[in-house]
Amino acid sequence: MVTGLLPGCSKDTPSGPRIGSNSQIVADYESKRRAANAAVAEVKLRAAATDVDLGGGVINTWTYNGGLPGPLIRVKKGDVIRATIQNDLPADTAIHWHGIGLRNDMDGVPGLTQDPIKPGSSFTYEFAVPDSGTHWFHPHLGTQLERGLYAPLIVDDPTEKADYDIDTIVIFDDWLKGDPDATLAGLKKNGMGGMDMPGMDHGSMVMPQSDVLDGDAADVTSYQGMLANGRFPTAPVVVTCREGQRVRLRIINAAADTAFRVGVPGQKLNVTHTDGFAVQPVEGDAVLLGQGERIDAVVTVRGLTRVIGVGEGRSLYAQVILLPEGAQGPQEDLAMAQAVEKSTPLRLSDFVAAESVRLASKSPDVTHDLVLGGPGSNYEWTINGIAFDHAKPLEGALDFKPGQRVRLNYKNDTTMFHPMHLHGHTFQVVNNGKPGARKDTAIVLPKQTLTVDFDANNPGQWVTHCHNVYHGESGMMSVLSYVES
Ligand SMILES: [Cu+2]
């Protein structure tokens, strides 16, 4: 932990012209990253309002290609993705490729890395995919993620040793009652305190609390239920398996305002990856996923096997069922969900990057502090005292040069946890001075500091922000900018 520095400043901060997303330097790095014979995956996406069956009623919401989740994109490490998105929404949009160390001008941050894609128009993203893992994509704009615009992006590494029989993607989400923009407007109008629906009386309402999150678990209480792969727990997705099969679960938290405690009752999870990067395998009864985080874990099919995610502080759950042929059982089991709710999840400090993906040992060239603050009287959430303004994104930007080892200290000065995400890079958590997990999103607990290191090997301008959609949209976002050496 670094002390004695002004928030956001570092005595070793470099200066020089900033490298924007349209810089030739960004294109040059992509040329080096992209092999001449790289396979190109052609993807067609359409964002539009569609009817979706959540297994508890059909609703009309915004989706990719009519599905919730949207369509899986699956490629190999080193491939190129060429994805054309047709925007048939009544609003601007863009796509952020969460977890991919891609070229900066394809990162999908309107106002910083591209112009928004207007209704009725299309845009083609094209980028090389340098790293394998369990990733996903979604808009980085307003509350659109909360409406259901998200989908998995799996990058396989053909050289990886596979110690499992099949893999299954499990995406957890929280499903709001009502309109996300009205919910955000209600939060801004009423400030803090869970007054999420205009006109609703929250006088006696207890806000969600979580022991493993050290306090407040959420800001919005008006959730209809939790979803796994787009379904409520009463009508879950059932994956047909064979008894005894080892299943690699690729678990993604796509929720806006909910952390999930995920477990498989009756057995341990053998965690192999955090945010797509290998860790030294570790076993636990459950894992905790903040918004935007992913975990890969191997389990064994033993009769009807439930993958359960309980929304922290909500007493609501969702599940995917692994079902051997011929096995039967109740679709719902509240006792099983309660067992997961009471289980002890692995902590961030339990994970250590595998040797193969560990950063070279090196002391930081530049250190930046990011003090997380809020909420203000109009529900502003801040980094270093600044609520991010899309009209002037570089206000408070933090600089470094290509090739530098950068250290970030996320200092949480609030009473709530924040799942902080960094675009375009996978950092390495610093655990009491020792190497921790490689991740791109990590929970910063209230009144705690999370220290992470990364190598500045992907020039451009990248946001780091809270992946609680309501916090990110209310200002908890900042730009990290490369400057020319
Ligand atoms: Cu936050």
Side-chain angles (χ1 to χ4, degrees), residues 259-283:
F260 281 90
R261 196 178 307 204
V262 182
V264 175
Q267 60 177 295
K268 303 266 189 204
L269 302 174
N270 185 3
V271 177
T272 60
H273 296 74
T274 55
D275 295 351
F277 280 68
V279 292
Q280 295 176 349
V282 55
E283 285 199 336

Side-chain angles (χ1 to χ4, degrees), residues 417-419 466 468 471 476:
F417 83 103
H418 302 286
C466 180
N468 179 311
H471 294 186
M476 195 174 273

Side-chain angles (χ1 to χ4, degrees), residues 400-420:
F400 46 84
K401 284 192 240 180
Q404 289 190 311
R405 170 67 57 85
V406 182
R407 171 160 292 184
L408 304 178
N409 294 310
Y410 292 100
K411 299 185 164 190
N412 187 348
D413 200 23
T414 79
T415 60
M416 187 172 180
F417 83 103
H418 302 286
M420 296 304 295

Side-chain angles (χ1 to χ4, degrees), residues 85-346:
I85 165 91
Q86 171 66 30
N87 180 10
D88 287 333
L89 300 169
D92 293 353
T93 195
I95 297 180
H96 169 56
W97 309 90
H98 187 131
I100 306 295
L102 80 183
R103 56 183 297 167
N104 186 228
D105 53 352
M106 294 292 144
D107 191 44
V109 179
L112 186 69
T113 67
Q114 69 170 98
D115 292 330
I117 308 165
K118 296 285 175 197
S121 66
S122 66
F123 183 86
T124 299
Y125 291 89
E126 181 169 335
F127 52 90
V129 179
D131 297 305
S132 58
T134 300
H135 307 300
W136 61 305
F137 60 96
H138 59 80
H140 182 101
L141 203 145
T143 61
Q144 292 184 6
L145 166 60
E146 177 80 310
R147 295 181 187 274
L149 287 168
Y150 60 81
L153 168 51
I154 307 299
V155 184
D156 291 307
D157 178 355
T159 68
E160 187 182 63
K161 277 205 303 184
D163 190 18
Y164 56 93
D165 302 306
I166 59 170
D167 70 352
T168 293
I169 300 162
V170 181
I171 307 188
F172 290 106
D173 187 14
D174 46 11
W175 196 254
L176 195 67
K177 278 181 206 153
D179 182 85
D181 288 331
T183 299
L184 179 60
L187 287 164
K188 288 184 171 175
K189 180 158 169 273
N190 296 300
M192 194 52 186
M195 315 284 276
D196 49 276
M197 293 297 278
M200 242 175 114
D201 176 15
H202 285 260
S204 59
M205 184 160 283
V206 177
M207 293 305 294
Q209 296 287 304
S210 163
D211 55 344
V212 292
L213 294 171
D214 291 352
D216 296 337
D219 280 359
V220 178
T221 54
S222 52
Y223 281 94
Q224 191 176 332
M226 301 295 119
L227 300 176
N229 295 0
R231 306 282 287 185
F232 290 121
T234 43
V237 167
V238 176
V239 180
T240 304
C241 307
R242 286 201 307 279
E243 182 70 16
Q245 265 184 329
R246 286 168 60 75
V247 181
R248 176 182 185 171
L249 303 172
R250 297 176 176 272
I251 308 166
I252 301 169
N253 182 352
D257 189 46
T258 304
F260 281 90
R261 196 178 307 204
V262 182
V264 175
Q267 60 177 295
K268 303 266 189 204
L269 302 174
N270 185 3
V271 177
T272 60
H273 296 74
T274 55
D275 295 351
F277 280 68
V279 292
Q280 295 176 349
V282 55
E283 285 199 336
D285 290 327
V287 290
L288 178 69
L289 276 88
Q291 299 94 306
E293 290 188 286
R294 291 90 67 211
I295 281 209
D296 291 22
V298 178
V299 296
T300 304
V301 179
R302 295 182 193 138
L304 183 148
T305 302
R306 292 172 202 277
V307 183
I308 290 176
V310 181
E312 279 300 301
R314 296 202 188 279
S315 295
L316 293 169
Y317 80 103
Q319 61 176 345
V320 163
I321 290 179
L322 310 176
L323 192 69
E325 287 157 13
Q328 284 189 336
Q331 294 232 304
E332 260 205 298
D333 193 327
L334 220 47
M336 290 270 194
Q338 285 162 349
V340 172
E341 190 176 24
K342 292 196 194 91
S343 63
T344 303
L346 293 165

